[in-house]
Amino acid sequence: MKALIKDQPAPGVTLKDVPDPELLPGHVIVRVKTCGISGSEVSRYRWARIYHAGQPKDMTSVLPRIMGHEFAGTVAAVASNVHGIAQGARVVVQCVVGCGSCVECDAGLPNHCLRRKMIGNDLDGGFAEFVSVPANCVYAVPDELSLDTAALLQPFAIATYALELSRIKPGDRIGVWGVGQIGISMIQVAQLAGATVEFAVGRDKSRLEAARGIGARHVVSVNDTDAGDFLVRTFGKDRLDAVFEVSGNVLAVTSALSILRKCGKVVVIGNPTGLLQFDLQRAVIDQLNLLTVRAYSLSAWRRALTLICRVQDQQSALPIVRMPLTDGVRAFERAATGEGGAAKFVLEP
Ligand SMILES: [Zn+2]
């Protein structure tokens, strides 16, 4: 079969002919219909420093690896000791594989399991015609949900988990800083929870327009505007209940802290690097909350699979570019260089 492989500890990916995956006990083989390229995969393609030997996300020991962790497809084969999954079923794959026997896994938090493995990173992933995955990572896709939308469940589940942790209530007013796929999902889940999305901050015009199209009241381009200044002018008096930071920008957090009402929350989902400096006394006086989010819990994943059906109509408005898996190298080049704007690239075997 054809597969897109990270085979060298250097920039790039390679399209190769590889043997079909073996059906192991406890596993299911999925025929991939569609697999999204995530921001972290673009970083791995570029071979960002964080993935080098000895760095926090050292990937050198797992190469060569078929990447891809945002995928949906149909079940092609089922191991004889697996029950409850039928051949031909439409499925989406949850990519965080916990050890299954630690305190975190018991709590449904494989995202915090110290022995977790990521499909597409530690295990072969979905940039291939077929992939073998543990049966408990396979979830049936509801009839009304397309496989194309189901493949976007990963970022949607992160947003759903952030929403749960933030305890947003109907009537709350929130903002979202960052309009990548997680930011867009954040706008969607917040509205499903009854919140008003007062603003979305981002860089790319098409994504900001998508944010406006799905309900963000103000969209702010950091290219044209000092976003922090705009937010203070607009919300400095009529403050917000929560701001979700999805851009990885530390400045977004300090800016958010200045527009929160008392007991407000800033929820950090992005991967900011650098040190955060803010007025701690002011934060205590206003009893502000700083929450962080890492991936998602299994219950959030399951809930997201139901919720995403309710925004399926909006997904077609998002800037998504679909390309065949055989053009995968080109798709990564385009994603890495920004050719095609900030569209999300999706590969189809
Ligand atoms: Zn575990």
Side-chain angles (χ1 to χ4, degrees):
M1 67 171 184
K2 299 279 185 211
L4 204 56
I5 297 177
K6 183 79 197 171
D7 52 356
Q8 298 292 331
V13 286
T14 312
L15 184 72
K16 279 192 174 170
D17 281 305
V18 298
D20 286 357
E22 204 182 330
L23 182 56
L24 302 170
H27 280 56
V28 166
I29 289 182
V30 175
R31 178 192 295 272
V32 179
K33 158 80 167 56
T34 171
C35 184
I37 297 178
S38 79
S40 63
E41 275 157 343
V42 176
S43 296
R44 273 179 268 163
Y45 164 85
R46 288 189 177 125
W47 201 238
R49 188 176 160 74
I50 196 169
Y51 299 106
H52 296 191
Q55 295 297 316
K57 291 185 172 182
D58 184 349
M59 198 190 168
T60 52
S61 60
V62 298
L63 300 180
R65 178 67 60 217
I66 301 174
M67 294 206 299
H69 65 267
E70 298 178 355
F71 58 99
T74 52
V75 173
V78 183
S80 59
N81 64 337
V82 171
H83 304 287
I85 300 174
Q87 207 170 330
R90 301 160 74 247
V91 293
V92 57
V93 174
Q94 190 286 107
C95 69
V96 186
V97 185
C99 72
S101 59
C102 70
V103 174
E104 285 76 16
C105 285
D106 282 351
L109 298 170
N111 50 331
H112 294 305
C113 171
L114 293 176
R115 286 176 286 166
R116 73 182 173 277
K117 293 186 185 303
M118 276 276 296
I119 293 173
N121 193 66
D122 309 292
L123 307 165
D124 280 337
F127 293 141
E129 293 173 64
F130 297 97
V131 53
S132 175
V133 295
N136 61 2
C137 293
V138 167
Y139 289 71
V141 171
D143 290 343
E144 66 270 33
L145 189 65
S146 74
L147 288 179
D148 287 346
T149 300
L152 298 172
L153 188 60
Q154 169 85 20
F156 196 83
I158 296 171
T160 303
Y161 187 41
L163 181 85
E164 285 180 3
L165 294 174
S166 71
R167 301 187 177 183
I168 288 300
K169 305 179 300 298
D172 280 357
R173 297 163 60 239
I174 69 134
V176 178
W177 192 304
V179 287
Q181 199 58 36
I182 300 174
I184 292 287
S185 301
M186 199 66 241
I187 294 170
Q188 293 173 319
V189 296
Q191 291 181 121
L192 288 175
T196 300
V197 178
E198 293 285 357
F199 74 81
V201 173
R203 199 169 287 282
D204 179 73
K205 264 202 172 105
S206 63
R207 293 210 145 260
L208 285 169
E209 278 317 304
R212 191 198 302 278
I214 61 173
R217 295 186 64 190
H218 300 271
V219 296
V220 187
S221 162
V222 292
N223 294 331
D224 308 336
T225 312
D226 180 331
D229 188 49
F230 171 87
L231 296 181
V232 169
R233 270 189 285 115
T234 312
F235 303 111
K237 287 207 175 92
D238 195 12
R239 293 173 172 245
L240 304 185
D241 296 284
V243 174
F244 294 82
E245 199 302 300
V246 205
S247 72
N249 182 350
V250 171
L251 287 176
V253 178
T254 43
S255 175
L257 287 166
S258 64
I259 54 165
L260 291 175
R261 54 186 285 271
K262 286 184 186 281
C263 303
K265 300 151 198 161
V266 59
V267 186
V268 184
I269 308 169
N271 257 315
T273 52
L275 299 176
L276 173 64
Q277 227 179 359
F278 65 98
D279 182 350
L280 189 55
Q281 188 179 42
R282 153 84 219 290
V284 172
I285 289 170
D286 283 353
Q287 205 177 309
L288 300 180
N289 298 277
L290 176 69
L291 307 175
T292 58
V293 178
R294 177 87 197 271
Y296 47 77
S297 65
L298 288 183
S299 63
W301 169 270
R302 205 175 271 286
R303 187 161 165 240
L305 185 50
T306 305
L307 286 180
I308 201 170
C309 298
R310 292 165 57 187
V311 296
Q312 184 165 220
D313 294 348
Q314 296 177 350
Q315 304 304 90
S316 59
L318 306 180
I320 292 177
V321 175
R322 298 183 184 280
M323 292 173 70
L325 176 67
T326 47
D327 287 343
V329 174
R330 178 83 187 106
F332 264 97
E333 278 171 13
R334 289 182 63 184
T337 58
E339 187 192 324
K344 182 174 182 68
F345 287 84
V346 172
L347 299 180
E348 299 177 332

